[in-house]
């Protein structure tokens, strides 16, 4: 059986304005920060990793060098325009690589409950020509696994904070949901009240 070349994109360029504590990528998590945690989860699941970084990019890169040196980064100059900018920047970086991966999993930096078992389950369930989307208690969410060509198409359609949702809305018959609530959590860290759910966040 041919082994698939697996890649992960971590979208970590947001400013965290609604949280009021600076970029969510740099929120402390135990002895690291959220961006290194997400990158390491993907790497431990067998993926090469690209991280889209924005505000305080130098600090994020310094953390990544220390905790996940194999991850590459791409700076998102227009990160303020929304998640779509981060997705497009990461996909452009990916498309210019000498060897394109077969599949790509897209992760958000602000979901600390997404762990290696979640990413591994989604990758194992993925079928060529389809998208494989995490479901949390039956509700579709992220991460999502794409064939590379489909992710490139999704990035071209993305606007504002929609990310890849526009592509999935246009191709619902190609999207498989995989329940993951038994092994992780899809809750995100978006506003100050969300911090209470994660005592690991400093």
């Amino acid at each position: 059986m041919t082994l698939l070349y697996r890649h992960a994109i971590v979208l970590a360029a947001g400013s965290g304005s609604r949280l009021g504590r600076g970029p969510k990528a740099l929120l402390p998590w135990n002895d690291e920060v959220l961006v290194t945690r997400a990158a390491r989860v993907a790497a431990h699941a067998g993926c090469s990793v690209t991280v889209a970084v924005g505000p305080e990019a130098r600090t994020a890169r310094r953390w990544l060098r220390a905790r996940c040196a194999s991850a590459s980064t791409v700076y998102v100059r227009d990160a303020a325009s929304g998640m779509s900018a981060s997705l497009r920047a990461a996909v452009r970086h990916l498309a210019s690589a000498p060897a394109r991966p077969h599949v790509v999993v897209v992760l958000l930096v602000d979901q600390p409950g997404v762990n290696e078992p979640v990413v591994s389950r989604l990758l194992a369930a993925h079928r060529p020509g389809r998208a494989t989307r995490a479901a949390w208690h039956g509700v579709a969410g992220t991460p999502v696994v794409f064939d590379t060509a489909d992710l490139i198409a999704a990035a071209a359609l993305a606007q504002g904070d929609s990310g890849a949702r526009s592509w999935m809305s246009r191709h619902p018959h190609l999207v498989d949901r995989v329940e993951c609530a038994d092994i992780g959590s899809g809750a995100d860290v978006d506003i100050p009240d969300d911090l209470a759910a994660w005592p690991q966040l400093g």
Side-chain angles (χ1 to χ4, degrees):
M1 181 177 66
T2 302
L3 292 177
L4 292 178
Y5 170 23
R6 299 167 169 179
H7 192 76
I9 287 173
V10 179
L11 302 182
S15 65
S17 57
R18 283 191 291 173
L19 193 62
R21 290 185 53 177
K24 288 184 279 187
L26 297 178
L27 282 176
W29 178 270
N30 293 329
D31 60 344
E32 57 182 324
V33 291
L34 285 187
V35 69
T36 59
R37 183 195 179 279
R40 289 194 309 104
V41 162
H44 289 166
C47 299
S48 56
V49 183
T50 296
V51 181
V53 294
E56 299 190 36
R58 289 183 180 178
T59 303
R61 285 170 169 149
R62 188 162 57 245
W63 271 102
L64 286 162
R65 285 194 298 269
R67 298 304 305 269
C68 191
S70 62
S72 62
T73 60
V74 58
Y75 179 67
V76 185
R77 297 184 182 279
D78 54 344
S81 64
M83 191 187 304
S84 59
S86 297
L87 183 64
R88 284 193 299 271
V91 167
R92 282 196 301 269
H93 178 77
L94 189 64
S96 66
R100 288 186 184 178
H102 296 90
V103 296
V104 184
V105 55
V106 179
L107 301 97
L108 306 182
V109 77
D110 63 353
Q111 288 183 295
V114 171
N115 52 30
E116 180 185 344
V118 168
V119 177
S120 295
R121 176 179 288 182
L122 293 172
L123 289 167
H126 182 71
R127 292 183 289 163
R130 305 188 64 79
T132 307
R133 188 173 191 182
W136 304 102
H137 299 290
V139 179
T142 51
V144 188
V145 181
F146 294 91
D147 287 357
T148 300
D150 288 335
L151 183 59
I152 291 172
L157 290 173
Q159 295 182 347
D161 273 324
S162 70
R165 287 197 300 270
S166 295
W167 186 93
M168 289 187 285
S169 295
R170 291 192 183 191
H171 304 89
H173 58 293
L174 297 179
V175 180
D176 299 321
R177 295 187 185 183
V178 176
E179 182 59 51
C180 294
D182 59 315
I183 55 173
S185 170
D188 61 5
V189 180
D190 206 26
I191 59 175
D193 286 351
D194 296 333
L195 295 171
W198 304 103
Q200 300 93 329
L201 289 167

